[in-house]
Amino acid sequence: MLSPTSSRFACFGEVLWDVLPSGPQPGGAPMNVAYHLRKLGHEPALVTKVGVDEYGDQLKEVLSGSGLVLDYLQQDPTYHTGLVYADVNDKHEVAYNIVMPSAWDFIDLHEALVELVKQAKYFIYGSLSSRSSVSANTLHQLLEVANVKVLDVNLRPPHYNQPTLEGLLEKADILKMNLAELEFVSGWFGSYNTIEDQAAVLQEKFTIETLIVTLGGDGAFVTNNGATYRHSGYKVEVTDTIGSGDAFLAGFLSEMDKGATVENALAFACGIGAFIATQKGACPGYAVSQVYQLLQSYKN
């Protein structure tokens, strides 16, 4: 068993196959974030569950080939590996049909997981893994011992509700969401004229230190300890946007872990998110030097 102290990042939640018109692709936000953290030179631990089936074996092979730490990947003899049927329209927007139940709905709590999360600097979790009581219970117990808690909101109807999401928001130190999610969630608490006001109400209500809002092709903004940072993004030719937000989060956390300023971390995050949008799928093969080439091209 790997020593938990060697993993500064622990990613909890769903791992699955996105069944696209072009064929199945490995996916799930926690897996995508872990994949890109590995590309950026870290050794993230992935906490999830697959079925004892062909799809599960294929996922383990993919993950292992990507160099991810799989000591905390569980197997379920009853429930199948997760599948999502994704439909991409001509505007690169994706609609998801997420099969339930799936193996990742039943992530069990073990002492090794508790020790992993205690030792990790960042604990990254999403809202989707709380759709079932077993994984939700495991998640909440791990949140009690986590250090920097990073919530990546992933609203997929009908797999969420307001009380559950509020419980996750209350734990978060860093919150990442897209503009549609910001507008939707802030709308629970009132009507606001600007995205800054929408962000402020969530930060104040849930005492969130850092709130990140991705704006698609228009970049992103971050509010941190009362200061706001903006980046207009990088204009690229989009192949698909699947996984771009996950790459963005990995890039932001990686830079912050290295001691970068929020401004510089945001710029790099926008860069890697834009680069992944030029590639096919959420976890393409690439070298980090390609991301730096994109960033450099905007400086010239």
Side-chain angles (χ1 to χ4, degrees):
M1 173 70 71
L2 180 80
S3 169
T5 57
S6 65
S7 294
R8 290 176 65 78
F9 299 87
C11 300
F12 178 96
E14 67 275 9
V15 62
L16 45 84
W17 287 95
D18 283 318
V19 183
L20 303 168
S22 58
Q25 296 283 342
M31 188 204 80
N32 296 342
V33 173
Y35 175 88
H36 293 291
L37 283 169
R38 185 70 188 97
K39 282 288 190 179
L40 294 169
H42 305 282
E43 294 187 0
L46 182 59
V47 181
T48 188
K49 199 171 205 179
V50 298
V52 182
D53 51 33
E54 186 176 354
Y55 272 128
D57 291 342
Q58 290 172 350
L59 265 178
K60 287 194 295 180
E61 186 175 335
V62 169
L63 296 171
S64 179
S66 300
L68 291 175
V69 175
L70 300 184
D71 299 60
Y72 307 95
L73 186 148
Q74 303 172 12
Q75 286 191 279
D76 197 304
T78 303
Y79 296 98
H80 293 297
T81 299
L83 294 176
V84 175
Y85 294 94
D87 182 33
V88 185
N89 67 20
D90 56 6
K91 295 181 181 179
H92 305 292
E93 298 168 336
V94 188
Y96 299 93
N97 177 19
I98 307 172
V99 174
M100 183 178 185
S102 296
W104 55 265
D105 287 311
F106 302 92
I107 302 171
D108 295 314
L109 184 70
H110 298 295
E111 185 58 34
L113 293 187
V114 175
E115 292 305 311
L116 167 73
V117 174
K118 279 184 179 179
Q119 296 293 332
K121 180 176 181 180
Y122 298 95
F123 180 61
I124 303 157
Y125 63 106
S127 51
L128 188 55
S129 58
S130 287
R131 70 176 186 174
S132 71
S133 60
V134 176
S135 289
N137 179 64
T138 298
L139 172 58
H140 280 281
Q141 292 193 63
L142 293 176
L143 285 169
E144 292 302 315
V145 300
N147 294 299
V148 180
K149 297 173 281 293
V150 183
L151 172 57
D152 183 9
V153 171
N154 196 4
L155 300 184
R156 299 285 183 255
H159 304 287
Y160 66 89
N161 57 61
Q162 184 173 343
T164 297
L165 188 59
E166 287 192 27
L168 298 177
L169 288 165
E170 288 170 355
K171 299 292 185 180
D173 300 304
I174 299 174
L175 170 63
K176 179 217 158 227
M177 58 203 324
N178 62 33
L179 181 57
E181 291 163 344
L182 172 65
E183 292 174 343
F184 180 77
V185 176
S186 65
W188 291 341
F189 311 110
S191 178
Y192 307 95
N193 294 324
T194 67
I195 57 177
E196 289 83 2
D197 289 342
Q198 292 169 339
V201 71
L202 296 186
Q203 281 193 287
E204 292 168 8
K205 183 173 181 60
F206 298 104
T207 320
I208 296 168
E209 180 178 322
T210 303
L211 193 154
I212 307 164
V213 181
T214 56
L215 305 172
D218 295 322
F221 79 89
V222 176
T223 57
N224 172 259
N225 289 329
T228 299
Y229 307 85
R230 292 179 174 274
H231 195 284
S232 58
Y234 302 91
K235 304 307 177 186
V236 296
E237 186 173 336
V238 174
T239 298
D240 71 52
T241 59
I242 298 172
S244 293
D246 302 324
F248 175 102
L249 181 58
F252 185 85
L253 294 177
S254 176
E255 291 299 297
M256 293 298 289
D257 187 56
K258 296 174 184 176
T261 63
V262 173
E263 185 176 24
N264 288 340
L266 176 59
F268 180 80
C270 285
I272 191 171
F275 173 77
I276 295 305
T278 69
Q279 307 295 301
K280 182 179 179 181
C283 299
Y286 68 97
V288 180
S289 60
Q290 293 174 273
V291 179
Y292 286 114
Q293 287 172 6
L294 172 65
L295 296 174
Q296 189 62 40
S297 70
Y298 275 81
K299 294 179 180 179
N300 294 333

